[in-house]
Amino acid sequence: MTSPNLHPMLNVAIKAARAAGAIINRAALDVESVRISQKQVNDFVTEVDHAAEAVIIETLLTAYPHHAIWAEESGKTHGTQGSDFVWIIDPLDGTTNFIHGFPVYCVSIALAVKGKVEQACIYDPSRNDLFTATKGRGAYMNERRLRVSKRIDLRQCLISTGFPFRPGDNFNSYLKMMADVMQRTAGLRRPGAAALDLAYVAAGFTDGFFETGLSAWDVAAGSLLVQEAGGLIGNFTGDADFMEQRECVAGNPKIYSQLVGILGKYSKFASAADKAAVRKATLNLVSPDARPGAQVDDTAA
């Protein structure tokens, strides 16, 4: 179903997301029969990811054959590469949740025009929740206008995040990062689908979000939702050009600035002095009596 009040390109994205959602919901009825493969340790892909991505690409290119595609599973192999119009697709964000029957996952589709996201659609098929945004026209959940939360005291805030799970992730540095945030908030949550986390920030269900290791398809649609709902999004130092920097923080304006103040020293763009402080704190976290000269991976700092 399309709406005459929505941008035509957003209507096509919604059609694609719902078609993918139908595939996901059918598979969820018998998730144990779904074929699963592993891209790397703890990074899974299923036949459902591929089928959902295929129907999204087919729907988009049927309407806009000269647009480009940038998708999680097939990369940039479809569409007309070099086009000013690029569809950025995550067909099933939260695959690990899905294969366990844990109902927190979604379809994420964004359209970037000359590098700027102008249309966004995130669809949660298990709840039939549809989050949409068009640049300059606001963000919506099931046709209800969204606004970020109004909380300004971090101690009263619920913050979502993602845990490191890939080889090479600096787990000890992340523990320190989470400890810095956790002790200042009302609670820290790890739902397991970054696109949905950002949609929830836009809806005011959570007050902020942060994570490292994310790709453009994880954050593209959610970034527009947050901005159109009155929030801010960037990297850990507050730089708004974050899409491919693999670190992301979002929130209402007051909470965003406070999170940047806490997380800035963990950014790969932080000053040398800040990185040294993080390395020292991480070393103490790993082993309070660690010998001088002990080696600590600081790639995430």
Side-chain angles (χ1 to χ4, degrees), residues 229-267:
L232 297 173
I233 186 167
N235 71 9
F236 286 179
T237 65
D239 184 354
D241 186 19
F242 75 99
M243 192 76 71
E244 296 182 53
Q245 295 180 351
R246 302 186 70 79
E247 57 182 52
C248 175
V249 59
N252 74 47
K254 293 288 188 181
I255 299 307
Y256 173 83
S257 63
Q258 291 174 61
L259 288 174
V260 167
I262 296 168
L263 298 170
K265 61 182 176 290
Y266 297 98
S267 173

PDB file of all heavy atoms in Angstrom, residues 229-267:
ATOM      1  N   ALA A 229      13.707  13.761  13.404  1.00  0.00           N
ATOM      2  CA  ALA A 229      12.967  13.774  14.671  1.00  0.00           C
ATOM      3  C   ALA A 229      13.555  14.799  15.648  1.00  0.00           C
ATOM      4  O   ALA A 229      13.116  14.861  16.800  1.00  0.00           O
ATOM      5  CB  ALA A 229      12.980  12.388  15.302  1.00  0.00           C
ATOM      6  N   GLY A 230      14.524  15.575  15.202  1.00  0.00           N
ATOM      7  CA  GLY A 230      15.089  16.627  16.038  1.00  0.00           C
ATOM      8  C   GLY A 230      16.333  16.250  16.788  1.00  0.00           C
ATOM      9  O   GLY A 230      16.792  17.007  17.655  1.00  0.00           O
ATOM     10  N   GLY A 231      16.913  15.090  16.479  1.00  0.00           N
ATOM     11  CA  GLY A 231      18.116  14.649  17.168  1.00  0.00           C
ATOM     12  C   GLY A 231      19.380  14.927  16.388  1.00  0.00           C
ATOM     13  O   GLY A 231      19.353  15.482  15.285  1.00  0.00           O
ATOM     14  N   LEU A 232      20.501  14.513  16.963  1.00  0.00           N
ATOM     15  CA  LEU A 232      21.807  14.680  16.338  1.00  0.00           C
ATOM     16  C   LEU A 232      22.496  13.327  16.234  1.00  0.00           C
ATOM     17  O   LEU A 232      22.271  12.432  17.060  1.00  0.00           O
ATOM     18  CB  LEU A 232      22.685  15.639  17.160  1.00  0.00           C
ATOM     19  CG  LEU A 232      22.181  17.073  17.287  1.00  0.00           C
ATOM     20  CD1 LEU A 232      23.063  17.858  18.259  1.00  0.00           C
ATOM     21  CD2 LEU A 232      22.129  17.770  15.929  1.00  0.00           C
ATOM     22  N   ILE A 233      23.359  13.191  15.234  1.00  0.00           N
ATOM     23  CA  ILE A 233      24.107  11.955  15.041  1.00  0.00           C
ATOM     24  C   ILE A 233      25.459  12.279  14.443  1.00  0.00           C
ATOM     25  O   ILE A 233      25.582  13.193  13.625  1.00  0.00           O
ATOM     26  CB  ILE A 233      23.305  10.971  14.153  1.00  0.00           C
ATOM     27  CG1 ILE A 233      24.003   9.605  14.068  1.00  0.00           C
ATOM     28  CG2 ILE A 233      23.037  11.542  12.771  1.00  0.00           C
ATOM     29  CD1 ILE A 233      23.119   8.503  13.481  1.00  0.00           C
ATOM     30  N   GLY A 234      26.489  11.566  14.887  1.00  0.00           N
ATOM     31  CA  GLY A 234      27.830  11.809  14.379  1.00  0.00           C
ATOM     32  C   GLY A 234      28.783  10.743  14.880  1.00  0.00           C
ATOM     33  O   GLY A 234      28.363   9.704  15.386  1.00  0.00           O
ATOM     34  N   ASN A 235      30.083  11.019  14.742  1.00  0.00           N
ATOM     35  CA  ASN A 235      31.052  10.088  15.321  1.00  0.00           C
ATOM     36  C   ASN A 235      31.322  10.477  16.770  1.00  0.00           C
ATOM     37  O   ASN A 235      30.709  11.405  17.308  1.00  0.00           O
ATOM     38  CB  ASN A 235      32.332  10.023  14.476  1.00  0.00           C
ATOM     39  CG  ASN A 235      33.184  11.285  14.560  1.00  0.00           C
ATOM     40  OD1 ASN A 235      32.938  12.181  15.365  1.00  0.00           O
ATOM     41  ND2 ASN A 235      34.202  11.365  13.720  1.00  0.00           N
ATOM     42  N   PHE A 236      32.250   9.787  17.420  1.00  0.00           N
ATOM     43  CA  PHE A 236      32.443  10.001  18.853  1.00  0.00           C
ATOM     44  C   PHE A 236      33.002  11.382  19.188  1.00  0.00           C
ATOM     45  O   PHE A 236      32.905  11.825  20.333  1.00  0.00           O
ATOM     46  CB  PHE A 236      33.378   8.930  19.428  1.00  0.00           C
ATOM     47  CG  PHE A 236      32.740   7.570  19.582  1.00  0.00           C
ATOM     48  CD1 PHE A 236      33.478   6.500  20.070  1.00  0.00           C
ATOM     49  CD2 PHE A 236      31.415   7.341  19.245  1.00  0.00           C
ATOM     50  CE1 PHE A 236      32.906   5.243  20.224  1.00  0.00           C
ATOM     51  CE2 PHE A 236      30.838   6.104  19.379  1.00  0.00           C
ATOM     52  CZ  PHE A 236      31.584   5.054  19.873  1.00  0.00           C
ATOM     53  N   THR A 237      33.601  12.060  18.209  1.00  0.00           N
ATOM     54  CA  THR A 237      34.096  13.416  18.467  1.00  0.00           C
ATOM     55  C   THR A 237      33.063  14.474  18.085  1.00  0.00           C
ATOM     56  O   THR A 237      33.313  15.667  18.227  1.00  0.00           O
ATOM     57  CB  THR A 237      35.406  13.687  17.698  1.00  0.00           C
ATOM     58  OG1 THR A 237      35.149  13.654  16.288  1.00  0.00           O
ATOM     59  CG2 THR A 237      36.476  12.662  18.049  1.00  0.00           C
ATOM     60  N   GLY A 238      31.901  14.038  17.569  1.00  0.00           N
ATOM     61  CA  GLY A 238      30.851  14.980  17.205  1.00  0.00           C
ATOM     62  C   GLY A 238      30.865  15.396  15.754  1.00  0.00           C
ATOM     63  O   GLY A 238      30.096  16.273  15.351  1.00  0.00           O
ATOM     64  N   ASP A 239      31.709  14.774  14.929  1.00  0.00           N
ATOM     65  CA  ASP A 239      31.768  15.078  13.503  1.00  0.00           C
ATOM     66  C   ASP A 239      30.556  14.474  12.814  1.00  0.00           C
ATOM     67  O   ASP A 239      30.314  13.273  12.911  1.00  0.00           O
ATOM     68  CB  ASP A 239      33.071  14.518  12.923  1.00  0.00           C
ATOM     69  CG  ASP A 239      33.260  14.868  11.452  1.00  0.00           C
ATOM     70  OD1 ASP A 239      32.340  15.446  10.840  1.00  0.00           O
ATOM     71  OD2 ASP A 239      34.338  14.544  10.911  1.00  0.00           O
ATOM     72  N   ALA A 240      29.800  15.307  12.098  1.00  0.00           N
ATOM     73  CA  ALA A 240      28.573  14.827  11.461  1.00  0.00           C
ATOM     74  C   ALA A 240      28.850  13.960  10.233  1.00  0.00           C
ATOM     75  O   ALA A 240      27.958  13.247   9.763  1.00  0.00           O
ATOM     76  CB  ALA A 240      27.697  16.014  11.064  1.00  0.00           C
ATOM     77  N   ASP A 241      30.063  13.978   9.710  1.00  0.00           N
ATOM     78  CA  ASP A 241      30.411  13.169   8.541  1.00  0.00           C
ATOM     79  C   ASP A 241      30.918  11.811   9.018  1.00  0.00           C
ATOM     80  O   ASP A 241      32.098  11.483   8.925  1.00  0.00           O
ATOM     81  CB  ASP A 241      31.483  13.886   7.715  1.00  0.00           C
ATOM     82  CG  ASP A 241      31.774  13.165   6.410  1.00  0.00           C
ATOM     83  OD1 ASP A 241      30.927  12.355   5.989  1.00  0.00           O
ATOM     84  OD2 ASP A 241      32.854  13.403   5.827  1.00  0.00           O
ATOM     85  N   PHE A 242      30.002  11.000   9.513  1.00  0.00           N
ATOM     86  CA  PHE A 242      30.371   9.780  10.234  1.00  0.00           C
ATOM     87  C   PHE A 242      30.069   8.492   9.476  1.00  0.00           C
ATOM     88  O   PHE A 242      30.495   7.415   9.885  1.00  0.00           O
ATOM     89  CB  PHE A 242      29.582   9.714  11.549  1.00  0.00           C
ATOM     90  CG  PHE A 242      28.142   9.347  11.342  1.00  0.00           C
ATOM     91  CD1 PHE A 242      27.715   8.038  11.529  1.00  0.00           C
ATOM     92  CD2 PHE A 242      27.214  10.280  10.900  1.00  0.00           C
ATOM     93  CE1 PHE A 242      26.399   7.674  11.296  1.00  0.00           C
ATOM     94  CE2 PHE A 242      25.903   9.932  10.669  1.00  0.00           C
ATOM     95  CZ  PHE A 242      25.495   8.623  10.880  1.00  0.00           C
ATOM     96  N   MET A 243      29.338   8.562   8.374  1.00  0.00           N
ATOM     97  CA  MET A 243      28.686   7.400   7.771  1.00  0.00           C
ATOM     98  C   MET A 243      29.618   6.208   7.543  1.00  0.00           C
ATOM     99  O   MET A 243      29.243   5.065   7.780  1.00  0.00           O
ATOM    100  CB  MET A 243      28.041   7.802   6.443  1.00  0.00           C
ATOM    101  CG  MET A 243      27.098   6.752   5.881  1.00  0.00           C
ATOM    102  SD  MET A 243      25.511   6.710   6.732  1.00  0.00           S
ATOM    103  CE  MET A 243      24.788   8.235   6.148  1.00  0.00           C
ATOM    104  N   GLU A 244      30.847   6.476   7.100  1.00  0.00           N
ATOM    105  CA  GLU A 244      31.767   5.383   6.818  1.00  0.00           C
ATOM    106  C   GLU A 244      32.948   5.355   7.787  1.00  0.00           C
ATOM    107  O   GLU A 244      33.989   4.778   7.493  1.00  0.00           O
ATOM    108  CB  GLU A 244      32.250   5.484   5.370  1.00  0.00           C
ATOM    109  CG  GLU A 244      31.128   5.318   4.353  1.00  0.00           C
ATOM    110  CD  GLU A 244      31.599   5.362   2.919  1.00  0.00           C
ATOM    111  OE1 GLU A 244      32.528   4.603   2.586  1.00  0.00           O
ATOM    112  OE2 GLU A 244      31.048   6.165   2.134  1.00  0.00           O
ATOM    113  N   GLN A 245      32.784   5.962   8.964  1.00  0.00           N
ATOM    114  CA  GLN A 245      33.878   6.033   9.931  1.00  0.00           C
ATOM    115  C   GLN A 245      33.820   4.931  10.984  1.00  0.00           C
ATOM    116  O   GLN A 245      34.686   4.830  11.832  1.00  0.00           O
ATOM    117  CB  GLN A 245      33.881   7.411  10.603  1.00  0.00           C
ATOM    118  CG  GLN A 245      34.196   8.542   9.629  1.00  0.00           C
ATOM    119  CD  GLN A 245      34.207   9.901  10.298  1.00  0.00           C
ATOM    120  OE1 GLN A 245      33.829  10.051  11.459  1.00  0.00           O
ATOM    121  NE2 GLN A 245      34.639  10.902   9.562  1.00  0.00           N
ATOM    122  N   ARG A 246      32.762   4.118  10.955  1.00  0.00           N
ATOM    123  CA  ARG A 246      32.620   2.938  11.816  1.00  0.00           C
ATOM    124  C   ARG A 246      32.560   3.279  13.304  1.00  0.00           C
ATOM    125  O   ARG A 246      32.954   2.490  14.157  1.00  0.00           O
ATOM    126  CB  ARG A 246      33.729   1.921  11.529  1.00  0.00           C
ATOM    127  CG  ARG A 246      33.742   1.456  10.073  1.00  0.00           C
ATOM    128  CD  ARG A 246      34.728   0.349   9.814  1.00  0.00           C
ATOM    129  NE  ARG A 246      34.316  -0.907  10.440  1.00  0.00           N
ATOM    130  CZ  ARG A 246      33.383  -1.732   9.944  1.00  0.00           C
ATOM    131  NH1 ARG A 246      32.757  -1.432   8.833  1.00  0.00           N
ATOM    132  NH2 ARG A 246      33.089  -2.859  10.560  1.00  0.00           N
ATOM    133  N   GLU A 247      32.085   4.468  13.634  1.00  0.00           N
ATOM    134  CA  GLU A 247      31.730   4.809  15.009  1.00  0.00           C
ATOM    135  C   GLU A 247      30.572   5.786  14.948  1.00  0.00           C
ATOM    136  O   GLU A 247      30.525   6.662  14.095  1.00  0.00           O
ATOM    137  CB  GLU A 247      32.918   5.386  15.782  1.00  0.00           C
ATOM    138  CG  GLU A 247      33.568   6.610  15.179  1.00  0.00           C
ATOM    139  CD  GLU A 247      34.758   7.091  15.988  1.00  0.00           C
ATOM    140  OE1 GLU A 247      35.663   6.276  16.278  1.00  0.00           O
ATOM    141  OE2 GLU A 247      34.800   8.291  16.328  1.00  0.00           O
ATOM    142  N   CYS A 248      29.620   5.594  15.857  1.00  0.00           N
ATOM    143  CA  CYS A 248      28.372   6.354  15.761  1.00  0.00           C
ATOM    144  C   CYS A 248      27.831   6.646  17.151  1.00  0.00           C
ATOM    145  O   CYS A 248      27.810   5.767  18.019  1.00  0.00           O
ATOM    146  CB  CYS A 248      27.352   5.530  14.958  1.00  0.00           C
ATOM    147  SG  CYS A 248      25.713   6.261  14.872  1.00  0.00           S
ATOM    148  N   VAL A 249      27.399   7.880  17.343  1.00  0.00           N
ATOM    149  CA  VAL A 249      26.681   8.266  18.559  1.00  0.00           C
ATOM    150  C   VAL A 249      25.494   9.120  18.126  1.00  0.00           C
ATOM    151  O   VAL A 249      25.593   9.913  17.188  1.00  0.00           O
ATOM    152  CB  VAL A 249      27.594   9.017  19.552  1.00  0.00           C
ATOM    153  CG1 VAL A 249      28.181  10.268  18.937  1.00  0.00           C
ATOM    154  CG2 VAL A 249      26.844   9.358  20.832  1.00  0.00           C
ATOM    155  N   ALA A 250      24.353   8.915  18.778  1.00  0.00           N
ATOM    156  CA  ALA A 250      23.136   9.647  18.427  1.00  0.00           C
ATOM    157  C   ALA A 250      22.338   9.920  19.692  1.00  0.00           C
ATOM    158  O   ALA A 250      22.485   9.226  20.699  1.00  0.00           O
ATOM    159  CB  ALA A 250      22.288   8.841  17.443  1.00  0.00           C
ATOM    160  N   GLY A 251      21.483  10.932  19.613  1.00  0.00           N
ATOM    161  CA  GLY A 251      20.624  11.229  20.744  1.00  0.00           C
ATOM    162  C   GLY A 251      19.905  12.541  20.565  1.00  0.00           C
ATOM    163  O   GLY A 251      20.079  13.231  19.546  1.00  0.00           O
ATOM    164  N   ASN A 252      19.074  12.894  21.544  1.00  0.00           N
ATOM    165  CA  ASN A 252      18.519  14.244  21.505  1.00  0.00           C
ATOM    166  C   ASN A 252      19.689  15.214  21.712  1.00  0.00           C
ATOM    167  O   ASN A 252      20.759  14.823  22.189  1.00  0.00           O
ATOM    168  CB  ASN A 252      17.385  14.405  22.526  1.00  0.00           C
ATOM    169  CG  ASN A 252      17.852  14.503  23.967  1.00  0.00           C
ATOM    170  OD1 ASN A 252      18.779  15.230  24.311  1.00  0.00           O
ATOM    171  ND2 ASN A 252      17.206  13.745  24.849  1.00  0.00           N
ATOM    172  N   PRO A 253      19.542  16.477  21.330  1.00  0.00           N
ATOM    173  CA  PRO A 253      20.709  17.369  21.312  1.00  0.00           C
ATOM    174  C   PRO A 253      21.474  17.443  22.627  1.00  0.00           C
ATOM    175  O   PRO A 253      22.717  17.435  22.637  1.00  0.00           O
ATOM    176  CB  PRO A 253      20.102  18.722  20.929  1.00  0.00           C
ATOM    177  CG  PRO A 253      18.921  18.358  20.073  1.00  0.00           C
ATOM    178  CD  PRO A 253      18.360  17.121  20.715  1.00  0.00           C
ATOM    179  N   LYS A 254      20.784  17.522  23.758  1.00  0.00           N
ATOM    180  CA  LYS A 254      21.458  17.643  25.053  1.00  0.00           C
ATOM    181  C   LYS A 254      22.212  16.366  25.405  1.00  0.00           C
ATOM    182  O   LYS A 254      23.358  16.408  25.877  1.00  0.00           O
ATOM    183  CB  LYS A 254      20.438  17.957  26.146  1.00  0.00           C
ATOM    184  CG  LYS A 254      19.786  19.323  26.028  1.00  0.00           C
ATOM    185  CD  LYS A 254      20.764  20.439  26.378  1.00  0.00           C
ATOM    186  CE  LYS A 254      20.041  21.779  26.437  1.00  0.00           C
ATOM    187  NZ  LYS A 254      20.977  22.893  26.743  1.00  0.00           N
ATOM    188  N   ILE A 255      21.583  15.224  25.196  1.00  0.00           N
ATOM    189  CA  ILE A 255      22.210  13.948  25.541  1.00  0.00           C
ATOM    190  C   ILE A 255      23.325  13.615  24.557  1.00  0.00           C
ATOM    191  O   ILE A 255      24.366  13.065  24.942  1.00  0.00           O
ATOM    192  CB  ILE A 255      21.152  12.835  25.591  1.00  0.00           C
ATOM    193  CG1 ILE A 255      20.101  13.166  26.662  1.00  0.00           C
ATOM    194  CG2 ILE A 255      21.790  11.488  25.853  1.00  0.00           C
ATOM    195  CD1 ILE A 255      20.675  13.469  28.045  1.00  0.00           C
ATOM    196  N   TYR A 256      23.129  13.951  23.298  1.00  0.00           N
ATOM    197  CA  TYR A 256      24.183  13.744  22.299  1.00  0.00           C
ATOM    198  C   TYR A 256      25.472  14.454  22.716  1.00  0.00           C
ATOM    199  O   TYR A 256      26.553  13.851  22.688  1.00  0.00           O
ATOM    200  CB  TYR A 256      23.706  14.267  20.947  1.00  0.00           C
ATOM    201  CG  TYR A 256      24.753  14.275  19.864  1.00  0.00           C
ATOM    202  CD1 TYR A 256      25.046  13.130  19.129  1.00  0.00           C
ATOM    203  CD2 TYR A 256      25.446  15.445  19.546  1.00  0.00           C
ATOM    204  CE1 TYR A 256      25.996  13.136  18.123  1.00  0.00           C
ATOM    205  CE2 TYR A 256      26.398  15.468  18.542  1.00  0.00           C
ATOM    206  CZ  TYR A 256      26.669  14.310  17.837  1.00  0.00           C
ATOM    207  OH  TYR A 256      27.625  14.324  16.838  1.00  0.00           O
ATOM    208  N   SER A 257      25.351  15.706  23.117  1.00  0.00           N
ATOM    209  CA  SER A 257      26.554  16.460  23.492  1.00  0.00           C
ATOM    210  C   SER A 257      27.226  15.849  24.720  1.00  0.00           C
ATOM    211  O   SER A 257      28.460  15.817  24.814  1.00  0.00           O
ATOM    212  CB  SER A 257      26.219  17.930  23.740  1.00  0.00           C
ATOM    213  OG  SER A 257      25.334  18.076  24.837  1.00  0.00           O
ATOM    214  N   GLN A 258      26.420  15.327  25.649  1.00  0.00           N
ATOM    215  CA  GLN A 258      27.003  14.701  26.837  1.00  0.00           C
ATOM    216  C   GLN A 258      27.689  13.380  26.485  1.00  0.00           C
ATOM    217  O   GLN A 258      28.759  13.059  27.018  1.00  0.00           O
ATOM    218  CB  GLN A 258      25.911  14.478  27.887  1.00  0.00           C
ATOM    219  CG  GLN A 258      25.381  15.782  28.492  1.00  0.00           C
ATOM    220  CD  GLN A 258      24.195  15.562  29.418  1.00  0.00           C
ATOM    221  OE1 GLN A 258      24.307  14.870  30.433  1.00  0.00           O
ATOM    222  NE2 GLN A 258      23.047  16.126  29.057  1.00  0.00           N
ATOM    223  N   LEU A 259      27.101  12.614  25.574  1.00  0.00           N
ATOM    224  CA  LEU A 259      27.721  11.360  25.154  1.00  0.00           C
ATOM    225  C   LEU A 259      29.024  11.614  24.396  1.00  0.00           C
ATOM    226  O   LEU A 259      30.015  10.895  24.578  1.00  0.00           O
ATOM    227  CB  LEU A 259      26.755  10.552  24.285  1.00  0.00           C
ATOM    228  CG  LEU A 259      25.582   9.908  25.017  1.00  0.00           C
ATOM    229  CD1 LEU A 259      24.616   9.266  24.023  1.00  0.00           C
ATOM    230  CD2 LEU A 259      26.054   8.873  26.036  1.00  0.00           C
ATOM    231  N   VAL A 260      29.030  12.643  23.543  1.00  0.00           N
ATOM    232  CA  VAL A 260      30.266  12.997  22.847  1.00  0.00           C
ATOM    233  C   VAL A 260      31.353  13.374  23.852  1.00  0.00           C
ATOM    234  O   VAL A 260      32.527  13.000  23.702  1.00  0.00           O
ATOM    235  CB  VAL A 260      30.018  14.149  21.852  1.00  0.00           C
ATOM    236  CG1 VAL A 260      31.335  14.752  21.357  1.00  0.00           C
ATOM    237  CG2 VAL A 260      29.191  13.654  20.661  1.00  0.00           C
ATOM    238  N   GLY A 261      30.953  14.082  24.918  1.00  0.00           N
ATOM    239  CA  GLY A 261      31.915  14.443  25.952  1.00  0.00           C
ATOM    240  C   GLY A 261      32.528  13.242  26.650  1.00  0.00           C
ATOM    241  O   GLY A 261      33.696  13.274  27.055  1.00  0.00           O
ATOM    242  N   ILE A 262      31.751  12.178  26.775  1.00  0.00           N
ATOM    243  CA  ILE A 262      32.243  10.956  27.421  1.00  0.00           C
ATOM    244  C   ILE A 262      33.034  10.090  26.445  1.00  0.00           C
ATOM    245  O   ILE A 262      34.087   9.545  26.781  1.00  0.00           O
ATOM    246  CB  ILE A 262      31.064  10.145  27.982  1.00  0.00           C
ATOM    247  CG1 ILE A 262      30.346  10.928  29.086  1.00  0.00           C
ATOM    248  CG2 ILE A 262      31.534   8.791  28.528  1.00  0.00           C
ATOM    249  CD1 ILE A 262      29.002  10.321  29.488  1.00  0.00           C
ATOM    250  N   LEU A 263      32.533   9.970  25.212  1.00  0.00           N
ATOM    251  CA  LEU A 263      33.072   8.996  24.265  1.00  0.00           C
ATOM    252  C   LEU A 263      34.174   9.540  23.370  1.00  0.00           C
ATOM    253  O   LEU A 263      34.876   8.765  22.715  1.00  0.00           O
ATOM    254  CB  LEU A 263      31.934   8.459  23.386  1.00  0.00           C
ATOM    255  CG  LEU A 263      30.819   7.712  24.123  1.00  0.00           C
ATOM    256  CD1 LEU A 263      29.648   7.455  23.174  1.00  0.00           C
ATOM    257  CD2 LEU A 263      31.333   6.399  24.692  1.00  0.00           C
ATOM    258  N   GLY A 264      34.332  10.853  23.339  1.00  0.00           N
ATOM    259  CA  GLY A 264      35.295  11.459  22.417  1.00  0.00           C
ATOM    260  C   GLY A 264      36.697  10.894  22.533  1.00  0.00           C
ATOM    261  O   GLY A 264      37.394  10.709  21.526  1.00  0.00           O
ATOM    262  N   LYS A 265      37.115  10.587  23.753  1.00  0.00           N
ATOM    263  CA  LYS A 265      38.488  10.090  23.945  1.00  0.00           C
ATOM    264  C   LYS A 265      38.689   8.686  23.388  1.00  0.00           C
ATOM    265  O   LYS A 265      39.821   8.237  23.193  1.00  0.00           O
ATOM    266  CB  LYS A 265      38.854  10.120  25.425  1.00  0.00           C
ATOM    267  CG  LYS A 265      37.993   9.274  26.350  1.00  0.00           C
ATOM    268  CD  LYS A 265      38.452   9.435  27.789  1.00  0.00           C
ATOM    269  CE  LYS A 265      37.560   8.681  28.788  1.00  0.00           C
ATOM    270  NZ  LYS A 265      36.233   9.346  28.891  1.00  0.00           N
ATOM    271  N   TYR A 266      37.582   7.967  23.115  1.00  0.00           N
ATOM    272  CA  TYR A 266      37.675   6.623  22.554  1.00  0.00           C
ATOM    273  C   TYR A 266      37.661   6.629  21.026  1.00  0.00           C
ATOM    274  O   TYR A 266      37.806   5.583  20.401  1.00  0.00           O
ATOM    275  CB  TYR A 266      36.522   5.761  23.046  1.00  0.00           C
ATOM    276  CG  TYR A 266      36.517   5.545  24.544  1.00  0.00           C
ATOM    277  CD1 TYR A 266      35.709   6.317  25.370  1.00  0.00           C
ATOM    278  CD2 TYR A 266      37.340   4.591  25.129  1.00  0.00           C
ATOM    279  CE1 TYR A 266      35.707   6.131  26.747  1.00  0.00           C
ATOM    280  CE2 TYR A 266      37.344   4.390  26.498  1.00  0.00           C
ATOM    281  CZ  TYR A 266      36.527   5.164  27.305  1.00  0.00           C
ATOM    282  OH  TYR A 266      36.535   4.987  28.669  1.00  0.00           O
ATOM    283  N   SER A 267      37.466   7.794  20.429  1.00  0.00           N
ATOM    284  CA  SER A 267      37.391   7.883  18.977  1.00  0.00           C
ATOM    285  C   SER A 267      38.754   7.623  18.341  1.00  0.00           C
ATOM    286  O   SER A 267      39.801   7.987  18.887  1.00  0.00           O
ATOM    287  CB  SER A 267      36.898   9.279  18.566  1.00  0.00           C
ATOM    288  OG  SER A 267      36.973   9.447  17.171  1.00  0.00           O
TER     289      SER A 267
END
